[in-house]
Amino acid sequence: GSDRLALAVPTTVPTSEQTRRPKCRWPFRFGVCSQQRRFVIACIRTMTDIHFNNPIQPGQSPVVSSRPYSRYAAILLDFAARHRTVLASHVQRHFPHVFRTDRATRMHLQTLVIHGDLMTLRPGMNHANIYLLTQKGLRSLERIAGNGVALGPPARLARPSGSHLAHELLITEVAVSVAEAARARPDLQIPWEERLGFIGAHAFGELVPDYGFLIKHMQGLLACFVEVFSGEESPTRMRQKLDQYAAWAARPEGQAFLVELYRRHGAREPRPQFRLLLVAHDRRMGNDRRKLNQLLWEATTPARPTRERIWLTTAADIEQAPSIDAPIWVRPKDVQLQE
């Protein structure tokens, strides 16, 4: 019908007009100012040289500061541990009732930098600081946890760089956008999320999702996994990633993980279902649409067993849309291949 999308033959990359519709809306209804989101994506796109600014060097004593320790250190360090790379705008958007202004957010973050619990990366002189947890910050987290404060999973302190840094920031952006959506809906909750804990998890084997979360809504529960493709992946690598999800969905370990996740959050008769969200971002060429088309072709292969689970969008669409609730998502199952 007219609402079906025809793709070109496999050797031809579909045009932007061919993939413009149909677009799908998330189960969210909310309004969020997109100015901060556009700022974040702009920072990711224009990263150049990374300048490290760590006030504590190996063998050096912590900086002695007269500035009082942040009373929000627990939530700030835990947020940095969960997401590894964060911007001040991420923090403010994730905790809008705690940090009401950009200035207050940066003041508390900079306090933790001065005390050595966070370090900053600067991707160019005109860009916002990127904050990462330090070893001292990890010890501070452990001390806070010893005082009875609930924290997230253990942090992994590997320092991302180059294209991987942009990749990590875009994952944080997606996670924060999801949190904004849930916060705006009283009938919507995110009772579970995971980012770094997939590494080495027995249930996932060699598959390492970029981010995962569980939506709890009026109709039930839905597990979602996010993959960000930043432009360096070949079509072969994209195909392998989708095949990994298909294999994982068929494995007893994967099915058991999903069933237990649903049961743990109240499902009476859980089934091993999930949604796979793909975000296309072409950092090198700046052509997110082309990357989306490549992903769409791979995901729309008729033999692809996971095509029913996949939703796709681009970093550019996330940047321009007023919210993640906008109709920026494409489903391969709505796409009809042209013979």
Side-chain angles (χ1 to χ4, degrees):
S2 60
D3 62 336
R4 308 295 278 181
L5 181 65
L7 288 181
V9 296
T11 55
T12 304
V13 176
T15 66
S16 59
E17 291 299 323
Q18 289 176 300
T19 58
R20 190 173 300 282
R21 60 181 185 84
K23 293 296 181 70
C24 308
R25 183 179 292 272
W26 278 57
F28 302 147
R29 298 290 184 272
F30 68 103
V32 178
C33 177
S34 61
Q35 182 177 359
Q36 287 181 315
R37 184 177 295 109
R38 286 195 292 268
F39 171 75
V40 171
I41 303 296
C43 285
I44 294 173
R45 289 190 182 281
T46 56
M47 284 183 179
T48 53
D49 296 329
I50 307 299
H51 301 276
F52 295 86
N53 179 21
N54 188 350
I56 299 180
Q57 302 298 328
Q60 184 180 4
S61 300
V63 174
V64 178
S65 173
S66 60
R67 181 180 295 186
Y69 196 63
S70 173
R71 63 182 182 274
Y72 300 121
I75 62 173
L76 290 173
L77 296 178
D78 184 43
F79 186 70
R82 290 174 183 267
H83 295 290
R84 186 154 57 187
T85 57
V86 303
L87 300 175
S89 61
H90 288 147
V91 173
Q92 187 182 359
R93 288 161 54 201
H94 196 77
F95 304 105
H97 302 299
V98 177
F99 305 104
R100 298 185 180 276
T101 67
D102 177 73
R103 182 176 181 273
T105 307
R106 295 177 185 277
M107 181 187 70
H108 283 277
L109 289 170
Q110 192 59 33
T111 296
L112 294 178
V113 171
I114 291 175
H115 283 270
D117 289 338
L118 295 178
M119 65 174 294
T120 59
L121 312 182
R122 184 181 292 272
M125 296 303 296
N126 297 321
H127 294 273
N129 284 336
I130 301 170
Y131 296 90
L132 290 85
L133 191 70
T134 64
Q135 289 289 347
K136 182 176 182 295
L138 182 58
R139 292 194 297 271
S140 297
L141 266 178
E142 293 170 349
R143 183 178 65 253
I144 293 171
N147 292 333
V149 178
L151 299 174
R156 297 178 182 271
L157 299 182
R159 179 185 296 175
S161 61
S163 61
H164 187 59
L165 180 59
H167 179 87
E168 292 282 337
L169 278 176
L170 191 51
I171 299 171
T172 304
E173 176 61 30
V174 172
V176 170
S177 296
V178 169
E180 287 178 318
R183 188 168 52 248
R185 281 279 300 276
D187 59 336
L188 190 69
Q189 300 177 29
I190 307 294
W192 170 84
E193 66 173 343
E194 184 60 78
R195 177 161 176 185
L196 304 177
F198 294 119
I199 303 174
H202 172 72
F204 286 84
E206 295 181 358
L207 176 66
V208 182
D210 286 333
Y211 176 60
F213 62 96
L214 182 68
I215 300 176
K216 185 175 183 179
H217 52 92
M218 297 297 292
Q219 288 74 40
L221 299 166
L222 177 62
C224 298
F225 299 100
V226 177
E227 289 291 339
V228 173
F229 292 87
S230 300
E232 286 79 12
E233 305 86 355
S234 66
T236 299
R237 177 58 187 140
M238 291 187 287
R239 189 180 311 120
Q240 290 173 345
K241 193 71 173 184
L242 296 179
D243 287 342
Q244 280 186 313
Y245 273 98
W248 178 78
R251 287 176 54 206
E253 295 88 348
Q255 296 178 3
F257 172 87
L258 291 168
V259 168
E260 176 57 28
L261 177 65
Y262 287 134
R263 183 178 287 118
R264 191 165 68 245
H265 291 92
R268 295 182 179 179
E269 299 179 358
R271 293 180 293 174
Q273 299 178 337
F274 67 94
R275 179 175 294 170
L276 178 56
L277 309 176
L278 307 182
V279 179
H281 172 51
D282 191 345
R283 191 180 73 90
R284 290 183 176 178
M285 304 298 294
N287 189 350
D288 289 2
R289 179 65 57 180
R290 182 177 183 277
K291 177 60 65 174
L292 175 69
N293 293 340
Q294 292 176 340
L295 277 171
L296 189 58
W297 176 257
E298 295 297 337
T300 312
T301 302
R304 182 75 60 201
T306 54
R307 66 179 294 190
E308 297 292 321
R309 312 175 190 268
I310 297 175
W311 290 39
L312 306 94
T313 191
T314 69
D317 285 335
I318 293 175
E319 174 186 3
Q320 296 299 325
S323 73
I324 204 170
D325 180 54
I328 59 176
W329 297 90
V330 179
R331 297 182 300 185
K333 71 175 185 178
D334 293 331
V335 175
Q336 186 175 21
L337 290 174
Q338 192 176 53
E339 299 293 341

